[in-house]
Amino acid sequence: MSQVVTETMVRVEDVRKSYGRDGAAVHALRGVSFDVPRGELVALKGRSGSGKTTLLNIVGGLDTPDAGRVEVDGRDLATLDEDGLLALRRDRVGFVFQSFGLLPILTAAENVGVPMRLRRAAPRAREERVELLLSLVGLADHAAQRPGELSGGQQQRVAIARALANEPALLIADEPTGQLDAETGRSVMELLRAVVRGWGSPAGRSGHGGRVTALVATHDTTLLGLADRVLELRDGRIVED
Ligand code: ADP
Ligand code: MG
């Protein structure tokens, strides 16, 4: 893929998405438009069912809209075929989910290394980056532990390290603190904030000016305070920008 540097990381224009059909259709997104500038941490709030997950999945190329336009890092997602979307998800976007999504039989270090294996990174470079990432998320001493041997907060830190493995331009997190207690959730949010402020690394080694952008769905008022901007979804529409 080309390395065009745009100042707008995410551009969403009049995106619509329904599930089911005709009389029984659920209108998850009813014409959503917003931009996320490169380097910002944008929070997406809204009640359960307001369309947050649908929107994040569409922005991340995991789902397609019925109508409207989505650009990520200068690419119109409608122009990408399955391979193009796969490459986008693997190389440009890091995902963090509420339920962590770690592979239980792999160690923390092996989990973090998975995206680099998929990209066929050289083993030596992979091991070095895994070590760097685990120390950046405060888990240097836990590299050999499996998810079942880690706390929820530690598992989410591993998931964040994994999401950063391939130096993504965009981090998408769907209620990343939803399964954590308030204090642990706060520290995970502060970690995301540190990632997006740039740290110097790993973002600084990422090849796009050290600027990771994040779009984070949350109910967590702590994160709302840490975000550069808060968008609110209500019944499939943005009501506050
Ligand atoms: P949120 O993440 O804010 O809770 P979602 O995006 O998950 O909201 O859901 C928005 C609406 O779309 C809800 O009414 C939900 O029930 C519906 N919905 C989401 N995914 C599906 C699906 N795969 N099939 C049918 N309805 C869905
Ligand atoms: Mg959701």
Side-chain angles (χ1 to χ4, degrees), residues 39-76:
E40 286 201 357
L41 170 55
V42 173
L44 184 63
K45 70 171 181 176
R47 294 185 356 199
S48 178
S50 59
K52 301 181 299 296
T53 295
T54 303
L55 181 58
L56 294 185
N57 287 346
I58 287 173
V59 170
L62 293 168
D63 201 354
T64 51
D66 298 332
R69 188 181 153 88
V70 181
E71 268 180 35
V72 175
D73 205 10
R75 292 173 189 84
D76 179 349

Side-chain angles (χ1 to χ4, degrees), residues 10-16 31-35 55 58-59 64-72 74-79:
V10 176
R11 173 160 289 160
V12 172
E13 286 174 11
D14 201 22
V15 161
R16 292 161 196 274
V32 170
S33 303
F34 63 94
D35 285 351
L55 181 58
I58 287 173
V59 170
T64 51
D66 298 332
R69 188 181 153 88
V70 181
E71 268 180 35
V72 175
R75 292 173 189 84
D76 179 349
L77 299 195
T79 66

Side-chain angles (χ1 to χ4, degrees), residues 84-227:
L85 287 173
L86 192 77
L88 178 92
R89 294 193 298 262
R90 187 192 56 206
D91 301 336
R92 311 297 291 155
V93 182
F95 292 92
V96 177
F97 301 102
Q98 181 173 338
S99 53
F100 321 134
L102 301 175
L103 295 169
I105 62 161
L106 301 185
T107 65
E110 289 164 347
N111 269 286
V112 174
V114 164
M116 287 175 270
R117 283 183 185 273
L118 294 175
R119 214 182 178 185
R120 299 179 202 283
R124 182 71 182 274
R126 189 181 73 225
E127 280 159 26
E128 283 175 7
R129 186 158 172 82
V130 165
E131 206 177 308
L132 171 74
L133 286 165
L134 282 175
S135 69
L136 285 169
V137 301
L139 292 176
D141 297 338
H142 300 270
Q145 287 170 247
R146 292 192 168 74
E149 300 159 351
L150 296 169
S151 71
Q154 289 172 331
Q155 289 182 63
Q156 196 60 301
R157 285 170 180 274
V158 173
I160 290 169
R162 180 183 58 184
L164 293 169
N166 285 339
E167 307 178 357
L170 175 65
L171 207 52
I172 291 180
D174 194 354
E175 307 207 31
T177 65
Q179 289 189 9
L180 305 176
D181 64 69
E183 198 183 317
T184 309
R186 182 176 177 88
S187 78
V188 164
M189 283 309 182
E190 283 169 349
L191 173 61
L192 287 173
R193 181 67 271 187
V195 168
V196 177
R197 285 232 171 89
W199 266 348
S201 61
R205 296 159 44 131
S206 63
H208 27 259
R211 295 165 77 194
V212 175
T213 304
L215 183 56
V216 183
T218 187
H219 289 298
D220 193 320
T221 49
T222 302
L223 173 78
L224 299 177
L226 293 172

